[in-house]
Amino acid sequence: MSVETLRGLHGQVLDAVGRSLAGGEIRAGQVLRLEDVQERYGVSRTVAREVVRVLESKRVVTSRPRVGVTVRPMSAWNLYDPQVIRWRLASPGREAQLRELAELRAAVEPAAAALAASRPDLRVPDELATHARAMDAAAREGDSQAYVTADAAFHRVLLTASCNGMFAQLAEVTEVLLEARRELLLLPERLETTAIGLHHEIAEAVAAGRAAEAAQAAADIVGRARDEVEQILADSREHVTEVPR
């Protein structure tokens, strides 16, 4: 078996185990035996051991002599890890994960926008405006993939422009969330032009050094995104519970 095949197999098994863990099929405190991973997924001990090693690096499991590999409570996991976020979004608990991510963005992005406006860099407003225009073009064409790509790029620039390294590292988390909204059909059927206008407002406020305006526009973007997701989820629940007449 080639190295590339082994890596691909390892990734598939890792995702399958991670989704099972995030979905509660394997609960905190349970022992995750290498033999069980081998048998369930039909893989070698080498692949099973590598899967456990990666889970341990994400703080999902802990390995101790004479105890074995034990699943940790989700509160102990590295919840900022993009792969962990994807596992949680694929689980029955996705609504809680979506809510947590929305709350995280609401806490961080307005502050990042204010910092970006107070620490001027001539390249930043142009980059923000370029990505906002790309969002506009994608919305007009109904291209949700291009829209999400441009949106993620906009927020990466904004978070990085805060010059706060910890904020900047949340860009990948934001990107995972935005991509998940598209994959989980949690974007409006018609891509929002109001939200795009707010992105342009941030670019203009950052260019002019207006920190409060930049922060408010960022707060409005995050608030609108949260409300959209909540409404789509509510509509979905209502549709599922409807009783045919």
Side-chain angles (χ1 to χ4, degrees):
M1 186 178 292
S2 69
V3 173
E4 289 76 13
T5 302
L6 275 172
R7 285 174 180 166
L9 184 59
H10 156 258
Q12 291 170 23
V13 176
L14 176 62
D15 265 339
V17 175
R19 287 194 296 270
S20 293
L21 289 162
E25 294 174 34
I26 308 171
R27 298 185 179 279
Q30 285 186 237
V31 173
L32 184 65
R33 298 171 62 244
L34 291 177
E35 292 80 4
D36 293 338
V37 175
Q38 287 178 258
E39 184 178 344
R40 180 170 181 178
Y41 300 101
V43 295
S44 68
R45 192 171 185 83
T46 299
V47 171
R49 190 180 292 113
E50 179 62 14
V51 166
V52 168
R53 186 193 66 77
V54 175
L55 290 172
E56 194 168 10
S57 75
K58 298 176 186 296
R59 305 202 301 269
V60 174
V61 300
T62 184
S63 182
R64 295 179 183 173
R66 295 188 296 277
V67 175
V69 178
T70 306
V71 179
R72 304 181 75 185
M74 190 177 287
S75 59
W77 298 9
N78 178 5
L79 298 180
Y80 292 96
D81 184 289
Q83 197 165 27
V84 170
I85 292 171
R86 291 188 187 97
W87 294 339
R88 293 184 69 196
L89 286 171
S91 78
R94 71 171 185 170
E95 290 191 29
Q97 173 68 114
L98 286 165
R99 196 164 291 116
E100 287 178 12
L101 289 168
E103 290 167 355
L104 178 65
R105 291 188 71 195
V108 170
E109 292 205 28
L115 287 171
S118 64
R119 297 169 177 173
D121 180 333
L122 295 178
R123 296 168 298 178
V124 169
D126 286 343
E127 290 177 9
L128 292 173
T130 296
H131 295 312
R133 286 194 295 270
M135 289 175 65
D136 205 356
R140 287 197 302 271
E141 295 170 9
D143 188 339
S144 62
Q145 177 62 75
Y147 182 91
V148 166
T149 298
D151 196 7
F154 180 99
H155 290 282
R156 181 176 293 277
V157 171
L158 184 66
L159 289 162
T160 302
S162 70
C163 297
N164 181 309
M166 298 185 77
F167 284 1
Q169 288 198 9
L170 290 175
E172 192 170 6
V173 172
T174 301
E175 186 171 353
V176 170
L177 170 61
L178 294 173
E179 185 60 38
R181 285 191 64 190
R182 186 184 69 82
E183 292 173 354
L184 297 172
L185 305 180
L186 296 174
L187 286 173
E189 289 184 18
R190 187 171 182 177
L191 296 170
E192 265 272 29
T193 54
T194 303
I196 297 169
L198 290 168
H199 284 73
H200 282 292
E201 285 184 27
I202 289 179
E204 292 166 6
V206 169
R210 297 193 295 267
E213 289 181 28
Q216 185 59 59
D220 290 345
I221 286 172
V222 175
R224 290 181 68 86
R226 179 198 61 226
D227 293 346
E228 284 174 359
V229 170
E230 293 285 357
Q231 186 59 57
I232 292 169
L233 289 172
D235 291 345
S236 176
R237 287 191 296 269
E238 184 177 333
H239 178 73
V240 169
T241 55
E242 281 181 354
V243 179
R245 295 183 180 180

